[in-house]
Amino acid sequence: MPSRFIFSLRFSSKVFVKLLKLSIAMIFFMTLFRMNLFFLNVYYVLPDLNFTEIMQSFFAGLRFDILIFGFLFIPVYFFIMLQAVWEKWPQKLFLVYKTYFGIAWILICCLTFIDFFYFVHHGKRMRFAEYSSWTPEVTLEQAKALQINQIVVFTIISIVLLVLGHMLIKSLKFGEWKDEYSPHPAKKGEMALRILVPLVLIVLAARGTVEAHHLALEHSEVSNSKELNEMALNAVWCFDK
């Protein structure tokens, strides 16, 4: 019996790959945010840093950043799978995906920007209690304690990364799905792989680890330095803590 589902499923894999590439780029941008924090603050606060511990902090930070995008992908996965079953790929839904990641990136950049001034002032990331009582005046007050070059450099880089993320999202093209039929029934192995592989990757990313327990605060503790441990976290992960 002719089937078009396998072609729809294959197209869903292409959509996942496009969004995966976008997420990898954004995770790289989040690492640049962390590097910015390191060179503008942590490097000067802790002059006797151990290179191995610095690398461990950045590696732990990478895991926390991947976790954020793992959670972002969860609703996207189910929507894409529904489209694959529905066997329809309207361009308007691609716009929804781009808008979703666009809003997420704006929030990530905004939280990271606000968190920077708090981190420099207190040597740790903001938590939910601090976000709950936050006002623009708080950040302005914290900024007064910083050198002007710290503010200018971080602000410029934040804007650049925000714009780069926006440009990547805007340039994202998913292509057109060709409404084709297969004269042969789809192979169950291929179908299972195309459905399960993205799901497994998303679950692993959202958990942040293959261990029994999901990624937690203790995974950021790579040093005796509070600042270095806190640097491994990110503003989004700390938001609800």
Side-chain angles (χ1 to χ4, degrees):
M1 181 178 180
S3 171
R4 58 206 289 256
F5 174 64
I6 187 60
F7 287 101
S8 182
L9 199 56
R10 287 170 183 168
F11 190 78
S12 74
S13 298
K14 294 180 181 179
V15 174
F16 276 125
V17 170
K18 294 280 187 179
L19 293 176
L20 176 62
K21 290 179 179 179
L22 173 67
S23 298
I24 290 173
M26 288 183 166
I27 289 168
F28 174 69
F29 292 162
M30 291 180 74
T31 300
L32 293 181
F33 270 124
R34 188 171 286 105
M35 289 179 64
N36 210 10
L37 176 62
F38 174 76
F39 285 111
L40 289 176
N41 178 250
V42 178
Y43 179 79
Y44 296 101
V45 174
L46 304 172
D48 300 322
L49 287 172
N50 182 289
F51 178 77
T52 302
E53 291 180 349
I54 295 172
M55 291 298 100
Q56 288 176 334
S57 179
F58 273 98
F59 178 73
L62 184 63
R63 295 174 67 188
F64 280 95
D65 296 343
I66 291 173
L67 179 146
I68 299 303
F69 281 88
F71 274 99
L72 284 175
F73 257 97
I74 292 174
V76 173
Y77 171 82
F78 289 105
F79 272 105
I80 291 177
M81 283 295 104
L82 282 174
Q83 280 191 263
V85 174
W86 185 30
E87 298 176 356
K88 292 184 182 296
W89 297 90
Q91 291 296 316
K92 289 183 179 179
L93 274 178
F94 293 146
L95 181 60
V96 171
Y97 297 145
K98 293 169 75 170
T99 302
Y100 173 74
F101 277 93
I103 293 172
W105 184 239
I106 290 172
L107 291 175
I108 289 171
C109 290
C110 289
L111 289 176
T112 303
F113 185 80
I114 294 169
D115 178 74
F116 170 77
F117 296 96
Y118 183 88
F119 188 103
V120 174
H121 195 72
H122 296 281
K124 64 177 184 177
R125 299 282 189 182
M126 291 178 71
R127 300 303 199 267
F128 183 74
E130 287 77 34
Y131 282 113
S132 299
S133 59
W134 178 85
T135 62
E137 288 73 22
V138 173
T139 296
L140 290 173
E141 190 64 31
Q142 292 167 350
K144 292 178 181 178
L146 275 66
Q147 297 180 13
I148 188 65
N149 67 303
Q150 289 177 298
I151 299 173
V152 171
V153 171
F154 188 77
T155 301
I156 291 174
I157 292 179
S158 297
I159 293 172
V160 168
L161 293 178
L162 174 64
V163 172
L164 284 175
H166 173 73
M167 290 172 63
L168 281 176
I169 294 168
K170 189 176 180 180
S171 65
L172 199 60
K173 297 186 184 301
F174 296 96
E176 295 283 345
W177 179 53
K178 296 180 180 179
D179 195 356
E180 299 177 277
Y181 286 85
S182 173
H184 306 289
K187 294 181 180 179
K188 293 182 179 179
E190 180 185 355
M191 291 173 60
L193 284 174
R194 292 186 182 277
I195 294 172
L196 294 178
V197 168
L199 179 61
V200 170
L201 292 176
I202 290 168
V203 170
L204 287 175
R207 295 189 76 254
T209 178
V210 295
E211 300 170 3
H213 300 286
H214 60 79
L215 202 66
L217 182 63
E218 55 265 26
H219 290 95
S220 69
E221 296 171 352
V222 298
S223 167
N224 292 325
S225 164
K226 180 188 72 173
E227 288 83 0
L228 205 57
N229 293 337
E230 287 285 317
M231 188 184 76
L233 305 173
N234 61 57
V236 182
W237 187 86
C238 291
F239 182 79
D240 65 341
K241 301 298 182 288

